[in-house]
Each structure stands twice: as C-alpha cells, then as structure tokens.
C-alpha cells in the first residue's frame, strides 16, 4: 500500500525532502512507517504531532490505510 508523507519545518530538514510517497506493508503503523524513513530515532519525531488525512492521531500506534496522507509537524516557533 502507498502512504504520502509530508514533512514540515525541522522534520523537513531532517528528512531532506518536503514530501514522499512510501510503499508500506498492510497494517503498518505511523511508528513503523517513520522507522522505515531512517528518522525513527531522530529527536524531532519525539516532539512532533502527526496528522493522518488532516486529523491528529495519538502517537506512533495509529494504523495506516492505503492512500492515507501523514503529516509530520514538529513544534513551530514564533508568535
């Protein structure tokens, strides 16, 4: 199955890309997908919020479906 991953701010810098289409096995969780990107242990992920299809999901255990879009949003600075 395919999942579109979009990275923002510090997550984008860590990933080296703004967006990618990942081929993942069925039943794949957010955490498993992130581990497959090489960012699994990156500190930015520990502070990030994850949205699947525009809705916040709690942590890395959410199971993804074919065609989902995962947004990785690290904390943003500013006011």
């Amino acid at each position: 199955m395919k999942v579109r991953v979009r990275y923002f701010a510090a997550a984008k810098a860590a990933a080296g890309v703004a967006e990618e289409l990942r081929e993942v096995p069925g039943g794949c969780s957010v955490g498993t997908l992130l581990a497959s990107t090489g960012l699994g242990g990156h500190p930015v992920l520990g502070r990030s919020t994850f949205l699947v299809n525009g809705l916040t999901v709690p942590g890395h255990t959410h199971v993804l479906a074919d065609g989902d879009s995962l947004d990785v949003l690290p904390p943003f600075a500013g006011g």
Side-chain angles (χ1 to χ4, degrees):
M1 67 182 202
K2 293 183 180 179
V3 175
R4 180 169 312 283
V5 184
R6 297 187 311 166
Y7 303 98
F8 296 87
K12 178 180 171 182
V17 295
E19 184 174 310
E20 63 182 331
L21 191 60
R22 304 285 302 188
E23 184 77 34
V24 295
C28 180
S29 69
V30 169
T32 302
L33 182 145
L34 293 172
S36 76
T37 67
L39 292 177
H42 197 284
V44 72
L45 296 181
R47 299 183 312 270
S48 293
T49 300
F50 304 99
L51 284 77
V52 175
N53 303 325
L55 301 173
T56 303
V57 296
H60 293 196
T61 59
H62 180 84
V63 176
L64 298 162
D66 188 37
D68 277 351
S69 179
L70 171 67
D71 295 337
V72 181
L73 304 168
F76 292 89

